[in-house]
Amino acid sequence: MIRKPTPLFFEQGPQAVILLHAYSGSSNDMRLLARRLQGENYTVLAPIFSGHATGDPADILRQGSPQQWWQDTQAAIANLRQRGYQQIAIFGLSLGGLFATRALMADPELQGGGTIASPVIFRGRLTCQRHLCKWPRRLISHKGCQPMNRLGAWPG
């Protein structure tokens, strides 16, 4: 039996961080970062947006919506405040970054935060393909492998 993801709550220090996952993701997207922050004496909450991590991808749209995900974000902030945390930061990955940004704009009591996302347009040009090819090249050459595409040569 596969265990479905659950929200993460790692209670540690007096400063708290909310970590919001990406579209179609779960709190597991944020687990490594959450554990690292816990190790640095932060309390960490990583909720799951409505409709996510149910085992049925269609639930994302059946049970969730931007309005619902905003409510989920506000509920996470309220959860930490109800537990007595006053110093709260909020970060999000991709979709979670949108809601982290909205929270930072709407709630002046938040201490800070930001987004974890990759820009695909820089100065009016699509950069995703060029940058996505650089990282695997470095990784593959570091590991001593010979990269190949479907035609037998590394893409240009």
Side-chain angles (χ1 to χ4, degrees), residues 35-116:
R35 286 293 186 192
R36 176 60 192 251
L37 289 168
Q38 180 190 25
E40 298 290 328
N41 201 38
Y42 289 93
T43 291
V44 181
L45 174 62
I48 297 178
F49 286 129
S50 295
H52 290 73
T54 66
D56 183 355
D59 285 343
I60 294 170
L61 298 176
R62 278 195 294 254
Q63 299 173 12
S65 67
Q67 295 79 16
Q68 181 59 51
W69 301 327
W70 172 236
Q71 289 176 8
D72 295 340
T73 302
Q74 293 173 305
I77 296 166
N79 179 318
L80 288 175
R81 287 188 174 138
Q82 288 168 358
R83 293 174 184 264
Y85 293 95
Q86 296 176 4
Q87 294 181 321
I88 302 171
I90 187 166
F91 292 87
L93 172 66
S94 193
L95 173 74
L98 295 175
F99 290 102
T101 301
R102 183 173 178 187
L104 289 165
M105 291 172 30
D107 189 337
E109 293 180 31
L110 291 171
Q111 299 295 300
T115 65
I116 306 165

Side-chain angles (χ1 to χ4, degrees), residues 1 3 7 17 58-59 69 84 89 104 140:
M1 179 174 185
R3 210 170 114 206
V17 178
D59 285 343
W69 301 327
L104 289 165
I140 289 170

Side-chain angles (χ1 to χ4, degrees), residues 6 13 15-16 21 31 46-48 53 59 65 83 86 92 112 119 121 136 139:
T6 58
Q15 296 172 312
H21 64 79
R31 183 176 298 277
I48 297 178
D59 285 343
S65 67
R83 293 174 184 264
Q86 296 176 4
I121 298 176
L139 178 64

Side-chain angles (χ1 to χ4, degrees), residues 131-152:
H131 292 297
L132 284 175
C133 288
K134 285 181 183 179
W135 181 77
R137 276 188 186 150
R138 281 185 257 161
L139 178 64
I140 289 170
S141 66
H142 174 73
K143 297 287 184 185
C145 300
Q146 295 300 315
M148 294 180 73
N149 68 10
R150 288 180 291 163
L151 302 174

